[in-house]
Amino acid sequence: MVHRIIQAVAGSGKTYYITHDIDPTKRYLFVTFTNGNVDNIRNELIDSKQILNHYSVSTFSKFLIDWCLKPFVSKMIPVGISQHNGEFTEISPPEARDDNGNYNPKYFKQDNYKHYLDKYNRMYLNRISTLVKFNLQKNREYKELVLKQLQTFVDKIIVDEYQDLTGAEFNVLVNLMKLTKKSIPFLLVGDFLQSGVSQSTRNSTSKLIDIKNVDDLGALLKKKIWQYN
């Protein structure tokens, strides 16, 4: 199974391509960064007269919640994460250091469920990607469950505007591509030179910050996705 990347600048017709040049017998999962792009993709799919139950379109965050979190929270680590009450919060979680650089006693590391849940057992929205990545890397049962669900309902995954995925999100994408490399192809579409994410955020969290050309991108992804151990 081969994963592909299409480097396409804005206005080049990539949305039209990914919604019209598809196999009507396959089931597609479209993932993008913003709600606006979700609407654009859905409108193009309707225009192309695709069968409605053959595709699903969502933001990357909603994809993680619906496909990688909610169905399997009882199987996830660290121990205690199953206490999640199903609600999410946009409140910023405690960081390891306070504004003065001092250690914050209210901070919990990634191997503690309190890193992801507040005192009401709501999950921090900005740590969902970290939790999914943690489980994809360390939880074999969870990986098998995620893979089985994707194989059951999806034939191909298309990620639009992949360059807007920041640190943990991009790591999740890479881990999912490694997980599905023998069964479900990914197509990544976007322009790594044009990100909708603020440059300061991208600089601090994205692995794409050092990518200057297509060869650099290929080297990064080959090492992490196509290289077999």
Side-chain angles (χ1 to χ4, degrees), residues 96-139:
R97 301 284 176 178
D98 61 23
D99 294 339
N100 297 317
N102 300 316
Y103 174 74
N104 185 354
K106 295 182 179 180
Y107 173 79
F108 296 92
K109 295 182 179 180
Q110 292 184 20
D111 58 0
N112 188 312
Y113 77 94
K114 293 183 180 180
H115 182 83
Y116 311 97
L117 304 183
D118 69 5
K119 62 181 180 180
Y120 304 109
N121 289 327
R122 300 175 301 182
M123 187 169 292
Y124 296 115
L125 276 171
N126 66 354
R127 285 191 173 159
I128 292 173
S129 297
T130 304
L131 177 63
V132 172
K133 180 192 70 171
F134 185 76
N135 278 267
L136 286 173
Q137 293 177 341
K138 300 182 179 295
N139 187 342

Side-chain angles (χ1 to χ4, degrees), residues 128-158:
I128 292 173
S129 297
T130 304
L131 177 63
V132 172
K133 180 192 70 171
F134 185 76
N135 278 267
L136 286 173
Q137 293 177 341
K138 300 182 179 295
N139 187 342
R140 181 174 180 177
E141 180 183 11
Y142 170 82
K143 288 171 60 177
E144 292 174 349
L145 289 170
V146 171
L147 178 60
K148 182 178 180 180
Q149 173 161 275
L150 288 172
Q151 289 174 331
T152 301
F153 297 105
V154 179
D155 296 310
K156 186 170 184 177
I157 299 175
I158 299 178

Side-chain angles (χ1 to χ4, degrees), residues 5-20:
I5 303 169
I6 295 179
Q7 171 70 7
V9 298
S12 61
K14 61 182 177 58
T15 303
Y16 182 91
Y17 170 76
I18 64 175
T19 55
H20 286 69

Side-chain angles (χ1 to χ4, degrees), residues 11-113:
S12 61
K14 61 182 177 58
T15 303
Y16 182 91
Y17 170 76
I18 64 175
T19 55
H20 286 69
D21 188 23
I22 60 179
D23 185 343
T25 67
K26 302 293 185 181
R27 299 161 302 170
Y28 287 76
L29 177 57
F30 292 85
V31 182
T32 189
F33 191 71
T34 65
N35 288 317
N37 283 341
V38 168
D39 292 339
N40 290 338
I41 291 172
R42 284 178 177 160
N43 290 337
E44 288 289 350
L45 286 166
I46 293 171
D47 181 67
S48 66
K49 297 180 173 56
Q50 301 300 326
I51 300 173
L52 293 179
N53 62 0
H54 279 199
Y55 64 82
S56 174
V57 188
S58 72
T59 62
F60 194 79
S61 297
K62 192 173 188 304
F63 160 70
L64 292 184
I65 292 172
D66 291 345
W67 290 81
C68 302
L69 178 64
K70 282 185 175 180
F72 312 118
V73 69
S74 64
K75 302 294 185 180
M76 298 179 81
I77 57 175
V79 174
I81 202 67
S82 59
Q83 296 180 47
H84 177 222
N85 65 9
E87 297 181 359
F88 299 89
T89 177
E90 295 182 358
I91 295 174
S92 297
E95 297 295 341
R97 301 284 176 178
D98 61 23
D99 294 339
N100 297 317
N102 300 316
Y103 174 74
N104 185 354
K106 295 182 179 180
Y107 173 79
F108 296 92
K109 295 182 179 180
Q110 292 184 20
D111 58 0
N112 188 312
Y113 77 94

